[in-house]
Amino acid sequence: MDKIRVGVAPGLGTGPAEFTGLAELTEAAGVDSLWLSEVVYSPDVDPVIGMTHALARTERLKLGTGVAILPGRNPVLVAKQLVTLAGLAPKRVLPVFGLLPAQPAERGLFPVPEGRRAAVFDESLALLRLLLEQDDVSFDGEFFQVDGVTIGPRPAKRLDVWVGGAAPAALRRAGRLSDGWLGSFHTPEQSRAARLAIQEAAADAGREIESDHFGLSMVLALHGIPDRLQAVAQRRNPGRSAAELVPTSRAEARRMIEQHIEAGLTKFVVRPGYSGDYRKFLDEFVREIVPLQN
């Protein structure tokens, strides 16, 4: 049986002052993982720096990026960051990468040649995986070239690299180049269709993605769905009501997760749609959501 796991993310707008001590609380509560998004124009902590801080202050808690942007970064430097973190905290680093920032205003912070973002992502992901899997890597691509590069000791267990995305091209990329997929703002039916499309693309590429490497990130909006979150949901999944995508109670979140489990997903991230009493959120999360794990 595939392992069902549910992690958490800090509330939207959780800055460095509020983030301090949050990882210890999460680990003490027995939660599986903590996930950090890349939102630059906000108080939120940088995901790589936040992961480093949290990994150094905990012993068992897994840390993930949910999601970080890859195109616009040099994949060699990204690989070096990941192997360093994985060496310092073995089996606790969960990288997930995406094509575009959540906020359109941030796209210029991740520069790529005009109209080539998807091509850069594909090549970056291919080179990143080589560097995480092999020593003495040579690569002659359109955007990146390296010759006989070794970035240092690789972890004994190969780092899995997941991706996000919902467009058909993104799902094909996940099948061809990734180890797993973390979606967001999906209905259960859409999650099932995405999983099947990824598995089909993987089979076409002569690959197989493990059945428990499909997940979903969701926002829990206990105080109602604010206009900003509604706009994000509409942008990410046009034509669907935000109420179909964003639970407004813990019981509804549990029901949605159960439906996505039936659709073949096994990994989940729940983010409170507010910053504030994180301890209270954790207590209620452990009591009402964590029992979904097997």
Side-chain angles (χ1 to χ4, degrees):
M1 177 182 293
D2 291 334
K3 291 181 180 178
I4 308 298
R5 293 292 181 267
V6 189
V8 297
L12 300 172
T14 299
E18 297 85 3
F19 187 76
T20 300
L22 186 148
E24 294 96 316
L25 281 176
T26 305
E27 181 170 75
V31 175
D32 176 71
S33 54
L34 178 64
W35 297 77
L36 306 179
S37 297
E38 183 151 63
V39 189
V40 181
Y41 296 152
S42 77
D44 298 63
V45 298
D46 174 87
V48 175
I49 293 175
M51 287 174 68
T52 305
H53 172 87
L55 289 166
R57 296 170 68 106
T58 56
E59 296 180 357
R60 301 175 306 280
L61 184 69
K62 301 179 189 124
L63 270 292
T65 60
V67 300
I69 308 307
L70 185 57
R73 286 189 164 103
N74 189 301
V76 180
L77 300 180
V78 174
K80 182 67 173 182
Q81 290 177 322
L82 291 178
V83 298
T84 301
L85 282 175
L88 294 169
K91 301 181 182 179
R92 296 203 286 143
V93 179
L94 308 173
V96 184
F97 294 106
L99 178 71
L100 289 166
Q103 300 191 72
E106 296 176 6
R107 292 182 183 180
L109 303 176
F110 305 94
V112 298
E114 186 69 28
R116 305 305 310 280
R117 184 170 291 275
V120 172
F121 192 9
D122 285 359
E123 191 169 300
S124 298
L125 196 55
L127 176 54
L128 174 66
R129 287 178 58 92
L130 282 175
L131 291 163
L132 294 177
E133 295 170 2
Q134 301 177 16
D135 296 323
D136 194 26
V137 172
S138 294
F139 186 90
D140 185 17
E142 180 181 357
F143 308 104
F144 304 101
Q145 297 82 36
V146 298
D147 184 18
V149 167
T150 299
I151 58 173
R154 290 176 285 109
K157 182 182 183 301
R158 183 178 63 83
L159 262 177
D160 287 337
V161 178
W162 291 29
V163 299
L171 301 179
R172 291 193 294 271
R173 176 183 300 113
R176 288 187 294 107
L177 297 170
S178 81
D179 297 299
W181 176 76
L182 184 69
S184 61
F185 296 103
H186 278 61
T187 66
E189 295 79 9
Q190 290 171 328
S191 289
R192 183 189 302 276
R195 175 180 60 80
L196 293 173
I198 293 167
Q199 290 174 323
E200 181 180 355
D204 289 344
R207 307 178 64 238
E208 182 178 359
I209 295 178
E210 294 181 41
S211 60
D212 65 347
H213 280 39
F214 296 89
L216 184 82
S217 178
M218 67 169 57
V219 179
L220 174 56
L222 290 177
H223 307 303
I225 306 174
D227 291 343
R228 180 171 173 269
L229 183 55
Q230 291 211 30
V232 171
Q234 290 295 306
R235 186 169 68 245
R236 298 288 296 275
N237 197 341
R240 292 285 185 171
S241 164
E244 296 180 79
L245 311 170
V246 180
T248 54
S249 70
R250 284 173 290 277
E252 190 176 359
R254 183 184 176 99
R255 177 180 59 80
M256 283 189 180
I257 291 173
E258 289 172 336
Q259 291 172 339
H260 284 280
I261 291 172
E262 292 176 2
L265 274 57
T266 62
K267 303 298 186 285
F268 300 91
V269 180
V270 179
R271 174 193 296 276
Y274 56 90
S275 59
D277 191 344
Y278 185 76
R279 187 186 297 271
K280 182 173 185 291
F281 164 75
L282 270 183
D283 289 344
E284 294 167 343
F285 174 85
V286 169
R287 184 173 64 250
E288 301 189 34
I289 305 296
V290 167
L292 289 169
Q293 297 185 155
N294 54 8

